[in-house]
């Protein structure tokens, strides 16, 4: 009886070891970093340089060496960063998340990848952790840090130029700092909900690109954004359907006459549309991760 129990425990431990081993995963992580060291080291400064360059061009005011100063009364507000935040998420998302599983891009790399002493789950977890999780966490922080530093340097240079040339103080550009409050708000009752909603949509977008990397391969740079546009279209259709249910007298099906703040759930704190979108975003992200894992397993077979 004891012998049978020992055999059962050994088989269970062996199965778990085949699925995931911390030491083996750590070795895989070190191997991946050593193989792509320059890529990982260069990603952050290149991304920061790209964000800073675009913002520098977009900021108001222009120093024309030898030709005076071109100022503007139009301020660069906190919400002016939104388009650059979104475009950066799409571009860097395609470049980083969309290029997941680089070891399966061609036959030579695939063979080398298959010979690595690690399980399918460990290889998937590595790609998910580096390409999805780290991107989701680091990109907003990187954008916020880069935007703040760039605006400080930009204003310092322009302030020095305006003051040293005895120009009107009104020419000094007005640039606000980027803030996440515009997405989340400052109401403590709805803070957690708004944060969860933003994170869910953000995660869903990255998950679509992550899944697309196993299907479209190198074409993901083109088809990935199209997939995101498809997601936006689905959300629009969803809002149109809800709008027609709540407002059956509206003129056309595509006319969205909907107050997204009503009706509300949970003591009138959570709008129905936001709550359902939040749930769908979380569920679809999980489904896409699972689908990506099985898609990856198919490629290894």
């Amino acid at each position: 009886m004891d012998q049978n129990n020992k055999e059962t425990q050994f088989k269970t431990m062996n199965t778990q070891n085949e699925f995931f081993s911390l030491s083996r995963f750590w070795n895989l992580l070190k191997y991946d970093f050593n193989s792509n060291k320059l890529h990982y080291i260069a990603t952050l400064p290149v991304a920061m340089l790209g964000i800073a360059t675009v913002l520098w061009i977009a900021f108001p005011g222009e120093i024309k060496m030898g030709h005076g100063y071109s100022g503007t009364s139009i301020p660069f507000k906190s919400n002016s960063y939104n388009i650059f935040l979104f475009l950066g998420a799409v571009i860097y998302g395609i470049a980083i998340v969309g290029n997941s599983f680089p070891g399966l891009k061609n036959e030579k790399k695939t063979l080398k990848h298959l010979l690595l002493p690690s399980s399918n789950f460990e290889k998937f977890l590595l790609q998910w952790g580096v390409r999805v999780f780290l991107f989701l966490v680091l990109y907003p922080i990187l954008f916020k840090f880069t935007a703040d530093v760039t605006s400080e340097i930009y204003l310092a240079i322009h302030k020095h130029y305006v003051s040293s040339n005895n120009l009107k103080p009104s020419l000094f550009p007005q640039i606000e700092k980027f803030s996440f409050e515009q997405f989340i708000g400052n109401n403590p009752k709805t803070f957690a909900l708004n944060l969860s909603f933003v994170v869910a949509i953000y995660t869903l977008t990255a998950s679509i690109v992550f899944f697309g990397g196993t299907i479209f391969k190198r074409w993901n740079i083109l088809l990935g954004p199209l997939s995101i546009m498809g997601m936006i279209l689905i959300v629009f259709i969803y809002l149109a359907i809800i709008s027609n249910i709540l407002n059956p007298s509206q003129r056309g099906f595509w006319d969205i006459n909907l107050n997204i703040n009503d009706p509300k759930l949970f003591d009138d704190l959570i709008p129905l549309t936001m709550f359902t979108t939040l749930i769908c975003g979380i569920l679809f992200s999980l489904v896409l991760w699972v689908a990506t894992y099985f898609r990856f397993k198919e490629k290894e077979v």
Side-chain angles (χ1 to χ4, degrees):
M1 189 70 173
D2 293 338
Q3 182 66 26
N4 291 334
N5 289 336
K6 289 182 179 179
E7 290 179 358
T8 302
Q9 291 176 359
F10 175 79
K11 289 180 180 179
T12 303
M13 292 176 63
N14 189 42
T15 301
Q16 291 176 347
N17 189 54
E18 288 179 359
F19 185 72
F20 181 79
S21 169
L22 185 59
S23 60
R24 194 169 57 218
F25 179 74
W26 176 248
N27 291 331
L28 178 64
L29 185 62
K30 291 191 295 183
Y31 171 81
D32 181 74
F33 178 78
N34 291 329
S35 301
N36 303 282
K37 186 181 300 182
L38 293 178
H39 173 76
Y40 288 144
I41 294 176
T43 297
L44 289 180
V46 169
M48 292 177 65
L49 180 61
I51 295 171
T53 301
V54 173
L55 290 178
W56 193 281
I57 296 174
F59 284 154
E62 182 182 1
I63 298 175
K64 299 180 178 180
M65 295 301 179
H67 299 282
Y69 185 85
S70 175
T72 177
S73 60
I74 301 176
F76 197 90
K77 297 184 177 181
S78 180
N79 58 9
S80 300
Y81 293 92
N82 293 351
I83 182 63
F84 305 106
L85 176 70
F86 175 76
L87 289 177
V90 173
I91 294 172
Y92 294 127
I94 294 296
I96 297 173
V97 182
N99 281 314
S100 301
F101 307 104
L104 301 178
K105 297 301 183 182
N106 55 57
E107 293 183 2
K108 184 178 180 180
K109 289 185 177 180
T110 299
L111 181 60
K112 186 177 181 180
H113 186 75
L114 292 174
L115 294 176
L116 292 176
S118 57
S119 67
N120 290 330
F121 178 74
E122 290 163 353
K123 295 173 184 176
F124 167 81
L125 185 62
L126 173 66
Q127 293 297 312
W128 180 87
V130 173
R131 304 279 180 170
V132 178
F133 180 76
L134 284 183
F135 173 78
L136 292 175
V137 173
L138 293 180
Y139 174 71
I141 299 174
L142 185 72
F143 186 90
K144 167 67 174 174
F145 176 78
T146 305
D148 288 349
V149 172
T150 304
S151 62
E152 289 288 349
I153 297 175
Y154 188 88
L155 289 173
I157 293 175
H158 281 249
K159 185 177 182 179
H160 174 74
Y161 184 84
V162 169
S163 61
S164 61
N165 288 274
N166 296 320
L167 299 175
K168 296 180 180 180
S170 59
L171 293 176
F172 189 68
Q174 302 177 39
I175 301 177
E176 295 181 0
K177 291 290 184 66
F178 173 74
S179 174
F180 291 107
E181 278 193 2
Q182 57 187 307
F183 302 106
I184 303 173
N186 52 14
N187 188 343
K189 292 184 178 180
T190 59
F191 177 83
L193 170 67
N194 294 339
L195 177 61
S196 300
F197 178 77
V198 172
V199 171
I201 299 301
Y202 179 43
T203 303
L204 177 60
T205 304
S207 300
I208 291 174
V209 179
F210 184 55
F211 178 67
T214 63
I215 298 178
F216 306 133
K217 298 181 180 179
R218 65 187 63 183
W219 291 103
N220 201 31
I221 191 172
L222 173 64
L223 299 179
L226 292 179
S227 300
I228 297 175
M229 293 175 61
M231 181 198 70
I232 296 175
L233 177 61
I234 292 174
V235 172
F236 183 81
I237 294 175
Y238 163 74
L239 292 176
I241 293 174
I242 296 296
S243 181
N244 277 268
I245 293 175
L246 299 179
N247 304 283
S249 61
Q250 63 185 38
R251 296 180 179 179
F253 177 82
W254 298 106
D255 295 329
I256 297 181
N257 182 20
L258 177 66
N259 182 4
I260 62 173
N261 293 321
D262 293 310
K264 294 183 179 180
L265 306 174
F266 305 107
D267 297 329
D268 291 335
L269 289 178
I270 303 177
L272 175 63
T273 52
M274 181 178 290
F275 180 74
T276 53
T277 304
L278 170 62
I279 298 300
C280 291
I282 295 173
L283 291 178
F284 286 160
S285 295
L286 294 175
V287 169
L288 287 170
W289 296 345
V290 174
T292 304
Y293 172 68
F294 284 105
R295 177 71 180 175
F296 169 65
K297 286 188 66 176
E298 288 179 5
K299 287 180 173 292
E300 288 226 320
V301 174

